[in-house]
Amino acid sequence: MTDKIASRLIRSQIRTVLLNVWDPIGIHNEPNSQDEYDGYVGEIYALLIRAATDQEITDRLLNIVQDTMGLDTAKAEDMRSTVRALREIRM
């Protein structure tokens, strides 16, 4: 079990990855949009904590981009750098 302080740190790092690496709608330089991906942090955190596979994380990110954001031209390979960056987060 991860304690609260560690959980907050991990979630902060996930937020940073989503904003700076994933950023499917290109808002990382928009100060008023910095919280745009915050709604996805919890589910990505849960995937990482339960040791989901790279494919499971890729599938979830792709689903968000295609189905929630409506960017249907996105591909699984577009998620690779994000999954790599998420894997660098110390759990």
Side-chain angles (χ1 to χ4, degrees), residues 19 23 25-35:
L19 188 60
D23 195 23
I25 58 174
I27 51 93
H28 73 276
N29 287 324
E30 297 295 328
N32 294 326
S33 299
Q34 298 296 296
D35 62 351

Side-chain angles (χ1 to χ4, degrees), residues 6 13 17 20 22 27 31 47 50 53 55 58 64 66 78 82 88:
Q13 292 172 341
V17 168
N20 294 318
W22 185 51
I27 51 93
L47 287 170
R50 76 168 178 81
T53 66
Q55 188 61 54
T58 296
I64 292 168
Q66 290 178 335
D78 299 335
T82 303
E88 291 177 8

Side-chain angles (χ1 to χ4, degrees), residues 44-54 56-57 87 91:
I44 301 304
Y45 174 80
L47 287 170
L48 293 173
I49 288 296
R50 76 168 178 81
T53 66
D54 287 359
E56 289 173 307
I57 297 168
R87 290 294 185 203
M91 302 304 282

